[in-house]
Amino acid sequence: MKKMEEYIRTIPDFPEEGIMFRDVTSVLQDKDGFKLAIDSLQGLVEDVDFDVVVGPESRGFIFGTPIAYNLGKPFVPVRKKGKLPMETISMEYELEYGTAVIEMHKDAIIPGQKVVIVDDLIATGGTIEAIIKLVEKLGGEVVKVIFLIELEGLKGREKLKGYDVASVVAYPGK
């Protein structure tokens, strides 16, 4: 059986020189790779008591919804500003060049709910830090944050200090 790392395609010098891009589309395009990704991520929460799965668009949807479905939990999408139809709360966060805004429905999290956040990759941690703030603003408790891939060189975990963070595969660089 192949290891997860064998399904993740690495593209050197993309989007710019010196960057080793970790591509998850190669995981999604392989039925065994996709199954291994979901099973591995799900394994990171097998002993966690939680009520709801939260994931950012778009790859948090791809990896979070099968886990929610398999475990009989609801899934809450976090979207870019202006994409959700009901009343929302929003959070602005820093990007490498500028800022972005994400939103979730105001009624998505019930106060006291325990939340697991799922995404494909942690780089600088800014998106997930913003999601945590949204969840907590609605009265939820983030009990675990999981990623398929972690880029350790970008130190995203530092923004998530105090939270239980886990990744399936960790790469030392950027």
Side-chain angles (χ1 to χ4, degrees):
M1 179 176 220
K2 288 169 73 173
K3 296 189 308 185
M4 193 72 250
E5 294 91 324
E6 295 176 71
Y7 292 102
I8 299 167
R9 179 171 39 204
T10 299
I11 303 165
D13 299 321
F14 181 83
E16 58 188 52
E17 192 172 332
I19 302 293
M20 299 296 282
F21 187 81
R22 308 303 178 169
D23 184 19
V24 297
T25 61
S26 54
V27 174
L28 301 173
Q29 293 168 349
D30 186 292
K31 66 179 179 61
D32 296 327
F34 187 47
K35 183 175 183 347
L36 180 59
I38 298 304
D39 291 348
S40 298
L41 283 163
Q42 194 168 303
L44 297 176
V45 296
E46 67 185 359
D47 295 325
V48 178
D49 176 30
F50 69 99
D51 304 303
V52 63
V53 175
V54 171
E57 67 175 287
S58 64
R59 291 174 298 235
F61 293 8
I62 294 168
F63 293 106
T65 54
I67 293 167
Y69 176 81
N70 289 341
L71 299 177
K73 307 289 183 182
F75 178 81
V76 172
V78 176
R79 306 245 12 227
K80 293 174 184 153
K81 184 177 174 75
K83 300 290 185 182
L84 292 170
M86 298 296 292
E87 190 176 358
T88 61
I89 62 168
S90 61
M91 185 67 55
E92 185 175 36
Y93 65 101
E94 299 280 326
L95 297 169
E96 190 174 352
Y97 302 105
T99 61
V101 178
I102 55 172
E103 296 180 324
M104 67 190 320
H105 281 139
K106 255 189 176 173
D107 63 355
I109 302 295
I110 299 166
Q113 279 188 315
K114 295 176 181 173
V115 174
V116 167
I117 300 171
V118 180
D119 204 1
D120 68 322
L121 181 135
I122 179 172
T124 64
T127 304
I128 299 303
E129 180 184 39
I131 293 170
I132 289 170
K133 289 177 182 177
L134 289 174
V135 168
E136 291 176 346
K137 190 173 182 179
L138 292 175
E141 175 191 358
V142 176
V143 294
K144 187 96 175 189
V145 184
I146 61 173
F147 304 95
L148 183 64
I149 300 170
E150 179 174 357
L151 303 178
E152 294 173 324
L154 294 174
K155 304 185 185 317
R157 268 185 199 252
E158 289 179 11
K159 282 191 179 159
L160 309 180
K161 279 188 180 149
Y163 296 94
D164 186 358
V165 178
S167 58
V168 175
V169 178
Y171 293 100
K174 298 178 182 180

